[in-house]
Amino acid sequence: MMNLRAALPVLIPKAVQWAETHSRLILGSGRPLSEHESQVARAVGVTSPELIRVLDVSKLPMPEDPILYQAAVATGMLGPNMVGLTLGHGIYIGHGHCTLRLISHELRHVYQYEQAGSITAFLGVYLEQIVTSGYQNAPVEIDARNHEAR
């Protein structure tokens, strides 16, 4: 089993590169928010909802890099049960899972990225929290769950 804390200096740059690549893909081919989704984005603190794009996918992408893949699965950050993933202003939503609850959760992650200032800055904090506290107990995940519309 990989020591995730010790591996962070290697994992973070790989995760940033993967996230930036997928963010560009979403921004280039995703749909803009609906008016209602834009209202939800503003309600959860997003400053630039017009920049957000959502891409409906049959399955969330997994990293091809073996070390990054192993870390994503080991932490529970990515896997077969995940239906949403936010990368900067880009959001992947699993086909058939675009609920108000999920979209508000992912929009709160957009807010967190905006507050951090970049994908690099956010992922450094996020991955540290995941490794230290676990996915469910990471403060950024708790914050996103607390902003889910019901």
Side-chain angles (χ1 to χ4, degrees):
M1 172 110 181
M2 177 189 318
N3 179 338
L4 292 173
R5 183 180 297 283
L8 278 175
V10 172
L11 289 172
I12 290 173
K14 289 176 180 282
V16 167
Q17 182 180 18
W18 184 86
E20 287 177 343
T21 297
H22 282 273
S23 177
R24 284 190 299 275
L25 184 117
I26 299 166
L27 295 176
S29 56
R31 67 166 176 81
L33 296 178
S34 69
E35 183 55 40
H36 179 66
E37 290 168 335
S38 292
Q39 291 170 358
V40 172
R42 285 188 284 280
V44 300
V46 172
T47 59
S48 299
E50 69 281 359
L51 299 179
I52 299 170
R53 295 294 180 269
V54 178
L55 186 59
D56 183 73
V57 293
S58 59
K59 187 170 98 171
L60 296 185
M62 293 293 288
E64 292 178 11
D65 180 280
I67 294 171
L68 196 55
Y69 178 91
Q70 182 183 357
V73 171
T75 59
M77 204 171 90
L78 291 173
N81 297 324
M82 301 303 289
V83 294
L85 176 65
T86 299
L87 303 165
H89 284 96
I91 302 173
Y92 279 122
I93 299 287
H95 183 66
H97 294 281
C98 193
T99 63
L100 182 58
R101 182 177 177 182
L102 178 60
I103 200 80
S104 60
H105 178 103
E106 298 305 329
L107 289 168
R108 184 61 178 186
H109 284 313
V110 171
Y111 162 81
Q112 294 165 347
Y113 275 99
E114 288 180 338
Q115 293 302 297
S118 68
I119 288 175
T120 301
F122 175 77
L123 284 180
V125 171
Y126 184 70
L127 294 175
E128 175 72 32
Q129 288 181 10
I130 298 290
V131 167
T132 303
S133 304
Y135 178 77
Q136 290 297 323
N137 295 319
V140 291
E141 286 300 332
I142 292 169
D143 177 66
R145 285 195 304 273
N146 288 338
H147 285 83
E148 291 175 358
R150 306 273 181 214

